Amino acid sequence: MNIENEMKLSFKSLSRNEGFARTAVCAFAAQLDPDTEEISDIRTAVSEAVTNCIVHAYRNRTGTIELVCRILENRELYIRVRDRGCGIENVAKAMEPLFTTAACEERAGLGFAVMESFMDKLKVTSAVGRGTSVIMRKRIGGKNE
Amino acid sequence: MSLRIESRDRSVTAYLTGEIDHHIAAAIRNDIDYSVRDTGAVELILDFSGVTFMDSSGIGLVMGRYRLMNEMGGSVIVQDPPHNIKKVMKLSGIDRLAEIRNSTEEESK
Ligand SMILES: Nc1ncnc2c1ncn2[C@@H]1O[C@H](COP(=O)(O)OP(=O)(O)OP(=O)(O)O)[C@@H](O)[C@H]1O
Ligand SMILES: [Mg+2]
């Protein structure tokens, strides 16, 4: 798959970086000229993935979050959010809507459901003790063709 | 994000504006819960008309307030969420716990 453009960011797992990450991805995606609905979908999906690193992966500590964005062929936006945190034991279970390991913190267990429904593709790989990688793809302007 | 809270006749209205995410959710939650408990409110109106962004942290916020009001024998109303916010709410099924209402329609009734 040809990579037409790419950007990489790495930042600390501080909650104040959630807004930064959303804005950075949308600024990069702007070259695909997404409509307001698409921007809103991307913004929300990125927020979910980054928040999960901060809330779950690096619970009680600060680590580094790595973000890669690419423009692929056919106006496809590729986003990878990766942490080196605690990892997920059972990814299929974690991705079930309403599943959460942090109910007492008022987490709804809907982050993955949001990513899945707002993006075209979602792939999660994880290893306990080593970290998690979330890859999302969305074709921009696909609805009108 | 800024938050304005008004209360009258055991009804609390929280006007939320800006972006609701995990970074800000705990502060909003504390302020709202304080007002609800302080006034013994039986109705909590969460006005989303000024909210520009919300992720699942906002869903957690609404669900948590639903639980609190339920405990106190009251209810939660979500008022005037913009299109993109409503989209996240619909996905969560929160409309089964809290009434989502449009304040302008309400007035013309
Ligand atoms: N990066 C990650 N590292 C470790 N565990 C994770 C990570 N992302 C998700 N999880 C696990 O998967 C579960 C489900 O994640 P999801 O985002 O769907 O819900 P949540 O974060 O618990 O709640 P919400 O996103 O609605 O606030 C989490 O509760 C957590 O146990
Ligand atoms: Mg989450």
Side-chain angles (χ1 to χ4, degrees):
Chain A
M1 180 71 78
N2 187 34
I3 300 168
E4 292 177 4
N5 197 0
E6 182 179 61
M7 74 100 162
K8 289 182 182 170
L9 278 176
S10 87
F11 52 91
K12 277 193 175 191
S13 62
L14 304 173
S15 65
R16 74 179 99 117
N17 284 331
E18 291 158 9
F20 162 71
R22 296 195 289 269
T23 306
V25 171
C26 287
F28 180 78
Q31 61 195 290
L32 287 170
D33 200 23
D35 64 23
T36 44
E37 181 106 16
E38 288 166 333
I39 294 170
S40 172
D41 291 352
I42 296 163
R43 190 181 286 276
T44 313
V46 169
S47 194
E48 297 296 351
V50 170
T51 301
N52 277 351
C53 301
I54 295 166
V55 172
H56 305 295
Y58 298 119
R59 169 167 298 268
N60 303 322
R61 63 187 166 119
T62 306
T64 302
I65 299 170
E66 239 181 75
L67 183 75
V68 175
C69 287
R70 292 176 183 153
I71 310 284
L72 304 178
E73 284 162 16
N74 294 320
R75 305 173 52 77
E76 195 176 29
L77 178 69
Y78 166 108
I79 302 167
R80 190 186 72 198
V81 179
R82 194 164 65 178
D83 65 68
R84 302 278 180 207
C86 67
I88 303 171
E89 217 178 272
N90 184 338
V91 173
K93 179 124 200 108
M95 290 176 75
E96 282 172 17
L98 302 179
F99 177 87
T100 182
T101 51
C104 53
E105 290 158 46
E106 297 200 342
R107 309 245 52 100
L110 286 168
F112 283 130
V114 167
M115 294 182 242
E116 202 147 36
S117 100
F118 286 11
M119 303 294 280
D120 295 342
K121 287 174 208 155
L122 171 66
K123 201 178 112 198
V124 183
T125 47
S126 191
V128 172
R130 297 233 310 274
T132 302
S133 159
V134 171
I135 295 174
M136 302 181 279
R137 294 167 185 242
K138 189 180 183 69
R139 182 137 175 261
I140 305 303
K143 271 181 292 190
N144 314 323
E145 278 156 47
Chain B
M1 177 75 219
S2 81
L3 175 65
R4 181 165 56 88
I5 298 177
E6 280 173 11
S7 87
R8 179 175 57 148
D9 306 331
R10 299 182 76 199
S11 169
V12 167
T13 305
Y15 294 89
L16 305 148
T17 53
E19 308 199 332
I20 301 179
D21 63 6
H22 155 256
H23 179 61
I24 204 73
I28 301 173
R29 170 172 80 213
N30 290 340
D31 286 359
I32 292 174
D33 290 5
Y34 178 83
S35 294
V36 166
R37 292 211 162 91
D38 194 43
T39 59
V42 291
E43 181 180 72
L44 172 64
I45 301 170
L46 300 170
D47 185 297
F48 276 80
S49 59
V51 176
T52 54
F53 171 83
M54 183 183 99
D55 63 15
S56 64
S57 303
I59 297 301
L61 183 79
V62 177
M63 281 182 171
R65 306 296 65 64
Y66 166 78
R67 248 175 259 127
L68 171 71
M69 293 311 292
N70 208 29
E71 213 171 84
M72 298 184 57
S75 59
V76 175
I77 293 165
V78 171
Q79 187 164 279
D80 297 338
H83 171 75
N84 59 329
I85 310 297
K86 213 185 253 173
K87 197 170 161 185
V88 183
M89 287 183 175
K90 284 268 162 67
L91 186 104
S92 71
I94 201 106
D95 42 332
R96 275 172 296 181
L97 303 181
E99 180 195 341
I100 300 183
R101 102 178 161 197
N102 195 318
S103 63
T104 48
E105 272 170 24
E106 196 64 24
E107 275 159 28
S108 61
K109 261 182 203 167

